[in-house]
Amino acid sequence: MENSERDLAENLVEVVVERVLPGGLGLAHFDGRTIFVSLSAPGDRLRVKIERVKGNVAFAAINEILEPSSVRIEPPCPYFGRCGGCDFQQMNYASQLDAKAEMIRDCLRRIGGIENVPEFSLTPAPNEWHYRSRAQWQYDAVQRRLGYFESGSRNVCDVAECAVLAPELQSTLTSLREQMEQGALPDDARDFRAVVGDTGVSISNSVRNPTVREGASNQTPVDISRTIAGETYRLNAESFFQTNADLLPQLIEAALHDAQGERALELYCGVGLLTIPLARKFTSVVGVESDSAAVKFAQSSLGLAGLSNTKIAREDVGTWLASNEQNLRSGAPDFLLLDPPRTGAESRVIAGILGFKPKRICYVSCDPATLARDLKKLIAGGYSLDSIVAFDMFPQTHHVETVVHLVLAPSVD
Ligand SMILES: C[S@@+](CC[C@H](N)C(=O)[O-])C[C@H]1O[C@@H](n2cnc3c(N)ncnc32)[C@H](O)[C@@H]1O
């Protein structure tokens, strides 16, 4: 069989990757069709296997590297490609940063409708490897596997050493694996979560079929403390905490450097990473967070810091905004900070914010696409971009953290 006939029969096509898109896939074209190629690098000439077609778009995997991109490197991790954790190890670090900056610009332009995206800096991570201080490991008790989900599946990729884990978490993973080999891990465990503190690691595990709630923890993890930029935060393995502590002092500074006034409101405040620095700057602060454990930790850390000017409401942000609408309209906070999960802020949250229009907003985001979607609405509601900065909190993956400041344009009437 001729090469081209075989290629056609096996769904193989030859493409050149033009750039990396938000979401981490490489963009290529073939025969008028857009092809998304996973784990590729810009400039790669590849033979790819089309795995899925949706309208004019096809999703493909690399079958053969015909000519590697000048930024392509040998991924150092032996699990790369199978493990769903990292998707950027095939690119050198400088090109990972270029790709992330381009993703932010692309989202702001295409999704946010911002024509002239201002120049912004993207601060590299001090540690490209071994930076993760929070992790979740999937457990398959039948196959005796502990690691991360394989990409695009619920199969557990058994990982003995993870190249992005902080040393403390690597030791935790090694010790859990020893217990697994001795048959000492609970059979009903679904996953294990761990987070590094100043003096130890907090670990929890969720169970597969709890009588109470799927995914509930079957043991209470120990509470620990973590000191960031001179402030001490209480937390445990169950609550959200940023995965990369190395850049947190700069992130906090970028979010709050020019925040000032009497009253601040913080939506999605978590365990209070940004709440304590806010409480140092404002006369009064209100934080809103739905996770009751995170609320308890935020309150406890504020108490330990001797800060009594801050109230934390345990509520869904949208519900809280709706029930406080009148108060917010009659006296808007001077500064609004929001750091929502990857899905961004719900429509009703953005509508709620536009109902009382604080003079300044800082939006901290770990997903440029949902950030751009929400910025579009805020800009249409009267805000303009004041500044953008980005931080590479997640080397070896396509994820990136962005901090955007917005100001309310003066009203024309
Ligand atoms: C990206 S984290 C940010 C937390 C905090 N700013 C930090 O850096 O540690 C988002 C937080 O929003 C909370 N959250 C998610 N959806 C929420 C909702 N609808 N209402 C209130 N809080 C929510 C999560 O529990 C999580 O603590």
Side-chain angles (χ1 to χ4, degrees):
M1 206 193 275
E2 290 274 314
N3 238 6
S4 54
E5 280 175 40
R6 189 208 63 197
D7 284 4
L8 217 58
E10 293 181 7
N11 266 342
L12 293 169
V13 298
E14 200 180 305
V15 296
V16 174
V17 176
E18 295 152 33
R19 62 194 172 94
V20 177
L21 294 172
L25 298 174
L27 171 72
H29 288 92
F30 179 82
D31 211 10
R33 183 172 269 169
T34 301
I35 319 270
F36 295 136
V37 189
S38 53
L39 310 181
S40 59
D44 272 345
R45 194 162 69 78
L46 306 167
R47 179 170 291 117
V48 299
K49 184 169 176 61
I50 306 284
E51 297 190 318
R52 195 156 52 90
V53 178
K54 214 175 152 198
N56 209 26
V57 167
F59 293 84
I62 298 175
N63 174 266
E64 188 184 346
I65 299 171
L66 301 170
E67 201 178 313
S69 151
S70 59
V71 303
R72 176 172 276 282
I73 56 168
E74 189 56 38
C77 171
Y79 309 102
F80 182 74
R82 197 154 48 86
C83 170
C86 294
D87 58 359
F88 261 22
Q89 286 191 22
Q90 74 283 11
M91 294 194 273
N92 65 31
Y93 191 53
S95 70
Q96 292 185 23
L97 294 173
D98 289 346
K100 292 184 194 197
E102 187 46 36
M103 284 175 194
I104 296 172
R105 277 191 287 271
D106 183 47
C107 287
L108 294 180
R109 249 188 253 121
R110 212 169 28 85
I111 305 171
I114 300 164
E115 270 176 32
N116 298 311
V117 176
E119 288 292 307
F120 60 88
S121 63
L122 169 54
T123 305
N127 297 301
E128 294 164 32
W129 303 97
H130 305 296
Y131 63 84
R132 271 197 87 103
S133 55
R134 190 168 67 96
Q136 180 175 8
W137 300 298
Q138 306 300 329
Y139 179 49
D140 180 339
V142 179
Q143 312 259 11
R144 291 265 170 103
R145 289 185 189 161
L146 183 64
Y148 304 97
F149 282 135
E150 288 179 0
S151 62
S153 103
R154 307 296 275 181
N155 292 337
V156 177
C157 177
D158 195 41
V159 171
E161 274 191 31
C162 169
V164 293
L165 284 183
E168 299 91 329
L169 285 195
Q170 179 56 56
S171 305
T172 308
L173 176 61
T174 304
S175 137
L176 286 170
R177 292 183 63 80
E178 281 163 11
Q179 293 173 54
M180 175 173 78
E181 274 141 33
Q182 291 155 11
L185 290 185
D187 275 348
D188 62 353
R190 186 176 70 171
D191 63 30
F192 292 83
R193 295 164 208 195
V195 63
V196 179
D198 293 332
T199 52
V201 172
S202 171
I203 309 172
S204 77
N205 77 279
S206 67
V207 289
R208 217 158 266 284
N209 287 307
T211 20
V212 194
R213 167 168 75 85
E214 174 74 6
S217 176
N218 67 356
Q219 67 189 53
T220 312
V222 293
D223 295 350
I224 53 173
S225 297
R226 181 91 205 221
T227 306
I228 309 281
E231 305 289 2
T232 301
Y233 299 90
R234 300 288 293 156
L235 65 143
N236 72 21
E238 291 286 292
S239 292
F240 174 88
F241 200 72
Q242 300 285 349
T243 46
N244 186 348
D246 298 341
L247 283 173
L248 289 183
Q250 290 97 312
L251 179 81
I252 295 167
E253 171 64 16
L256 301 184
H257 67 282
D258 62 354
Q260 53 178 316
E262 292 266 303
R263 287 177 306 127
L265 172 62
E266 187 191 358
L267 306 177
Y268 312 93
C269 70
V271 299
L273 178 76
L274 299 160
T275 324
I276 291 186
L278 261 186
R280 302 252 182 234
K281 288 183 161 239
F282 287 81
T283 312
S284 68
V285 177
V286 173
V288 186
E289 165 63 45
S290 58
D291 174 25
S292 46
V295 170
K296 183 194 79 180
F297 287 127
Q299 288 166 336
S300 145
S301 305
L302 283 158
L304 290 170
L307 293 161
S308 55
N309 60 345
T310 302
K311 285 198 166 51
I312 309 288
R314 192 197 67 73
E315 206 164 336
D316 167 75
V317 164
T319 309
W320 186 88
L321 286 173
S323 50
N324 287 274
E325 190 183 349
Q326 287 311 322
N327 286 346
L328 290 164
R329 279 178 194 260
S330 57
D334 303 298
F335 184 73
L336 169 72
L337 178 64
L338 71 158
D339 180 7
R342 196 155 283 159
T343 45
E346 298 167 77
S347 298
R348 67 174 183 152
V349 169
I350 300 292
I353 293 169
L354 291 175
F356 64 90
K357 291 196 172 163
K359 281 198 201 72
R360 299 188 69 89
I361 297 178
C362 174
Y363 192 135
V364 179
S365 160
C366 58
D367 186 323
T370 55
L371 168 71
R373 178 201 67 199
D374 294 346
L375 288 182
K376 185 175 189 172
K377 297 180 197 164
L378 291 168
I379 291 168
Y383 286 88
S384 55
L385 283 187
D386 188 35
S387 66
I388 304 176
V389 287
F391 296 92
D392 187 21
M393 309 275 283
F394 317 100
Q396 317 309 330
T397 78
H398 70 273
H399 299 291
V400 62
E401 193 85 2
T402 313
V403 179
V404 176
H405 284 266
L406 297 153
V407 283
L408 188 59
S411 151
V412 279
D413 47 45

